[in-house]
Amino acid sequence: MKRTAFFISDGTGLTAEGLGNALLAQFEKIDFERITVPYIDDSDKARELVTRINKAAETDDEKPLVFDTIVDSDIREIISEANGFMVDIFGTFLQPLEQELKASSSYSVGKSHAINNEGSYERRIHAVNFALDNDDGARTRQYDEADLILVGASRSGKTPTCLYLALQYGIKAANYPITEEDLNDQQLPEALRPHREKIFGLTIEPERLATIRNERRPNSRYSSLKQCMHEIEEIELMYRRERIPYLNTTAYSVEEISTRIMVATGLRRHR
Amino acid sequence: MKRTAFFISDGTGLTAEGLGNALLAQFEKIDFERITVPYIDDSDKARELVTRINKAAETDDEKPLVFDTIVDSDIREIISEANGFMVDIFGTFLQPLEQELKASSSYSVGKSHAINNEGSYERRIHAVNFALDNDDGARTRQYDEADLILVGASRSGKTPTCLYLALQYGIKAANYPITEEDLNDQQLPEALRPHREKIFGLTIEPERLATIRNERRPNSRYSSLKQCMHEIEEIELMYRRERIPYLNTTAYSVEEISTRIMVATGLRRHR
């Protein structure tokens, strides 16, 4: 059984898509065809969308679910004529919030996403550039400026995590790969020692690490299970000895790794 | 007037935070202190959070707003005792959805974020690596594999956009900087010609570009307004001559640039 779900918005659609997907994930047995339609900000686009929703209703022989965060009332009215099951995300919550806050909300096209457009943009772009400049131990002289220094074995997920932290939270995260030479020294690499309080470690199941490394360099010593087991064992030993907080990333998505690091370090989103 | 808003979840908190922020953005005159508390997945954490909410209520002398996506009923019950204005995101929508879908939803801790944990993870990490390997015209021989090739002047926003498209949508996006030499040739750079249908252009107001470049290389020819005006004029001319679809990024966030590119190109999220 297939069911179509639309996520529609006059902005990016990320709010409607995020909430809609989280709700649909609760219905595991239903196969949803998900369609995101952002920037529905005039009546022509709205009417086109109505046609599209109605077509899906006909094909599926079931009303599509329509999750929306449209705030403009004229556009809402057009959409409401579609043959869909409407989930009015803003309408549902804004009225009780207005009562509680004793304030009226500013209903206007695009306003809903204002939060994304403010000062944080520059900060996040800076953070992305910082992550790129300080990726993979390339530089260590900017560590004073870092909010966080992620350490871990090669291919344990440091780079995507740093980039996600930069894009999502404006966090300046450097990353430093722990190599075999570092492990032979039996102590924290010298470049890291002055920044101990900013260090956070990643670890990963050796089997998973071997799989990931094999994609990059098949059948090498680098990607052998034996080598991965050795590195991970030594790295975890170092984390414990040096009292570095760390996280096993094996079962987690980039979002989960990143939010767990935010919680563990007490870092806050930059605005 | 300050008002505290909590975004709480048994998962990453991204859904509660995303929707909560979008709703709060509608109340421009109120100054919100926003606190995200993810991973509330046992009753001890829940009780600790109740204390925190109650403390905020006392300090503010107003009930904090509590946006939550917690699905476990025991944890929900503990949280509901807090002195907050509860916005039960899942509870509100799941019941009508269950009726419409004639199916019951799987209420269990963490289930709500299942969507993030599936196959898309690998694809997204691959896409991030692809974006990094193919950043700034570093390589052009993998363009066959690309979903998209972003082109534009140096510092017009290509790299953060490629990374966001990779992390959010699993899109493999390369980027290629249009240099002065390319512009002298009066045609599409050779490396791009075989991939014309994957090319998307970025442009930006010259004043804004000059500001951004000045941060990187102050008072250089590269960052002078004259140079920026010249490059942008020539680049936009080339886009029009070569019929390359393009977007002016000046007023947009990374999310907006990315979602607008998704719409314009018809690319779909990879799962």
Side-chain angles (χ1 to χ4, degrees), chain A residues 179-221:
Chain A
T179 63
E180 278 201 276
E181 296 91 87
D182 293 327
L183 294 171
N184 290 337
D185 289 352
Q186 297 266 344
Q187 56 175 330
L188 208 58
E190 204 181 332
L192 298 176
R193 273 178 241 155
H195 308 285
R196 179 177 293 268
E197 77 292 348
K198 294 182 184 175
I199 300 173
F200 192 91
L202 298 186
T203 187
I204 184 170
E205 298 301 328
E207 291 73 16
R208 176 101 183 97
L209 183 60
T211 307
I212 297 170
R213 286 185 173 184
N214 254 307
E215 282 169 26
R216 204 79 170 177
R217 288 197 231 152
N219 307 314
S220 60
R221 176 170 171 276

Side-chain angles (χ1 to χ4, degrees), chain B residues 6 15 23 35 37 66 110 134 152 193 209 211-212 222 237 239 261 263:
Chain B
F6 287 89
T15 302
L23 290 168
I35 301 173
V37 193
V66 182
N134 293 278
R193 273 177 242 156
L209 183 60
T211 307
I212 297 169
Y222 167 80
L237 211 63
Y239 290 160
I261 291 172
V263 172

Side-chain angles (χ1 to χ4, degrees), chain A residues 15-76:
Chain A
T15 302
E17 195 180 57
L19 176 60
N21 272 322
L23 290 167
L24 297 187
Q26 303 288 324
F27 299 92
E28 288 179 321
K29 286 179 190 147
I30 302 175
D31 181 24
F32 295 102
E33 160 92 7
R34 297 167 167 86
I35 301 172
T36 305
V37 193
Y39 304 113
I40 299 298
D41 49 15
D42 66 36
S43 39
D44 285 350
K45 290 185 195 166
R47 273 186 287 265
E48 229 172 85
L49 180 60
V50 168
T51 311
R52 207 169 154 189
I53 294 170
N54 292 345
K55 210 169 275 177
E58 235 173 84
T59 312
D60 295 357
D61 205 17
E62 290 268 23
K63 282 184 186 180
L65 308 181
V66 182
F67 298 87
D68 89 272
T69 57
I70 286 173
V71 282
D72 182 85
S73 54
D74 294 343
I75 295 178
R76 292 200 57 76

Side-chain angles (χ1 to χ4, degrees), chain B residues 12 46 48 85 92 101 139 154 158-159 162 223 266:
Chain B
T12 61
E48 229 172 85
F85 180 78
T92 304
L101 294 169
R139 272 190 221 174
S154 165
K158 299 184 299 300
T159 301
C162 286
S223 56

Side-chain angles (χ1 to χ4, degrees), chain A:
Chain A
M1 191 181 88
K2 204 204 69 171
R3 189 91 184 222
T4 307
F6 286 89
F7 309 126
I8 69 180
S9 170
D10 46 28
T12 61
L14 292 168
T15 302
E17 195 180 57
L19 176 60
N21 272 322
L23 290 167
L24 297 187
Q26 303 288 324
F27 299 92
E28 288 179 321
K29 286 179 190 147
I30 302 175
D31 181 24
F32 295 102
E33 160 92 7
R34 297 167 167 86
I35 301 172
T36 305
V37 193
Y39 304 113
I40 299 298
D41 49 15
D42 66 36
S43 39
D44 285 350
K45 290 185 195 166
R47 273 186 287 265
E48 229 172 85
L49 180 60
V50 168
T51 311
R52 207 169 154 189
I53 294 170
N54 292 345
K55 210 169 275 177
E58 235 173 84
T59 312
D60 295 357
D61 205 17
E62 290 268 23
K63 282 184 186 180
L65 308 181
V66 182
F67 298 87
D68 89 272
T69 57
I70 286 173
V71 282
D72 182 85
S73 54
D74 294 343
I75 295 178
R76 292 200 57 76
E77 209 175 297
I78 297 171
I79 302 285
S80 70
E81 286 162 20
N83 183 21
F85 180 78
M86 303 311 219
V87 181
D88 175 357
I89 299 174
F90 280 178
T92 305
F93 291 122
L94 280 177
Q95 213 209 319
L97 279 172
E98 286 183 341
Q99 276 179 13
E100 173 64 22
L101 293 168
K102 297 178 197 75
S104 41
S105 64
S106 42
Y107 257 66
S108 67
V109 172
K111 226 19 170 221
S112 53
H113 301 275
I115 197 81
N116 288 330
N117 302 338
E118 285 158 25
S120 71
Y121 180 75
E122 318 261 316
R123 170 80 203 193
R124 289 157 65 203
I125 299 299
H126 276 288
V128 168
N129 290 329
F130 186 88
L132 293 173
D133 289 345
N134 294 277
D135 186 36
D136 215 25
R139 273 188 222 177
T140 58
R141 65 174 188 277
Q142 295 188 329
Y143 284 1
D144 279 337
E145 242 185 275
D147 295 313
L148 177 77
I149 304 166
L150 271 193
V151 303
S154 166
R155 296 280 136 187
S156 56
K158 300 184 299 301
T159 301
T161 304
C162 286
L163 291 169
Y164 188 86
L165 287 168
L167 280 167
Q168 179 76 18
Y169 299 108
I171 298 285
K172 287 184 177 175
N175 78 79
Y176 184 99
I178 308 283
T179 63
E180 278 201 276
E181 296 91 87
D182 293 327
L183 294 171
N184 290 337
D185 289 352
Q186 297 266 344
Q187 56 175 330
L188 208 58
E190 204 181 332
L192 298 176
R193 273 178 241 155
H195 308 285
R196 179 177 293 268
E197 77 292 348
K198 294 182 184 175
I199 300 173
F200 192 91
L202 298 186
T203 187
I204 184 170
E205 298 301 328
E207 291 73 16
R208 176 101 183 97
L209 183 60
T211 307
I212 297 170
R213 286 185 173 184
N214 254 307
E215 282 169 26
R216 204 79 170 177
R217 288 197 231 152
N219 307 314
S220 60
R221 176 170 171 276
Y222 167 79
S223 56
S224 69
L225 182 56
K226 194 180 154 207
Q227 176 65 18
C228 292
M229 287 175 77
H230 168 70
E231 286 184 35
I232 292 300
E233 194 184 331
E234 291 291 319
I235 284 175
E236 292 188 1
L237 211 64
M238 189 191 75
Y239 290 159
R240 287 192 291 267
R241 195 175 52 229
E242 302 277 351
R243 293 172 204 273
I244 293 171
Y246 69 98
L247 177 73
N248 187 323
T249 65
T250 312
Y252 295 140
S253 68
V254 188
E255 284 86 351
E256 285 169 317
I257 299 168
S258 302
T259 48
R260 283 174 192 273
I261 291 173
M262 295 293 284
V263 173
T265 58
L267 282 169
R268 297 281 299 267
R269 175 193 293 279
H270 287 281
R271 293 193 179 278

Side-chain angles (χ1 to χ4, degrees), chain B residues 123 130 134 139-149 171-175 190-199 267 270:
Chain B
R123 170 80 202 193
F130 186 88
N134 293 278
R139 272 190 221 174
T140 58
R141 65 174 188 277
Q142 295 188 327
Y143 285 2
D144 279 338
E145 241 185 274
D147 295 314
L148 177 77
I149 304 166
I171 297 286
K172 287 185 177 172
N175 77 80
E190 204 181 330
L192 298 177
R193 273 177 242 156
H195 308 283
R196 180 178 292 267
E197 76 292 348
K198 294 181 183 175
I199 300 173
L267 282 169
H270 287 281

Side-chain angles (χ1 to χ4, degrees), chain B residues 107-173:
Chain B
Y107 258 67
S108 67
V109 172
K111 227 14 172 223
S112 54
H113 301 276
I115 198 79
N116 288 329
N117 302 338
E118 285 158 24
S120 72
Y121 179 75
E122 317 260 315
R123 170 80 202 193
R124 288 158 65 205
I125 300 299
H126 276 288
V128 168
N129 290 330
F130 186 88
L132 293 172
D133 288 346
N134 293 278
D135 186 36
D136 215 25
R139 272 190 221 174
T140 58
R141 65 174 188 277
Q142 295 188 327
Y143 285 2
D144 279 338
E145 241 185 274
D147 295 314
L148 177 77
I149 304 166
L150 271 193
V151 303
S154 165
R155 296 281 136 187
S156 55
K158 299 184 299 300
T159 301
T161 305
C162 286
L163 291 169
Y164 187 87
L165 287 168
L167 281 166
Q168 178 76 18
Y169 300 108
I171 297 286
K172 287 185 177 172

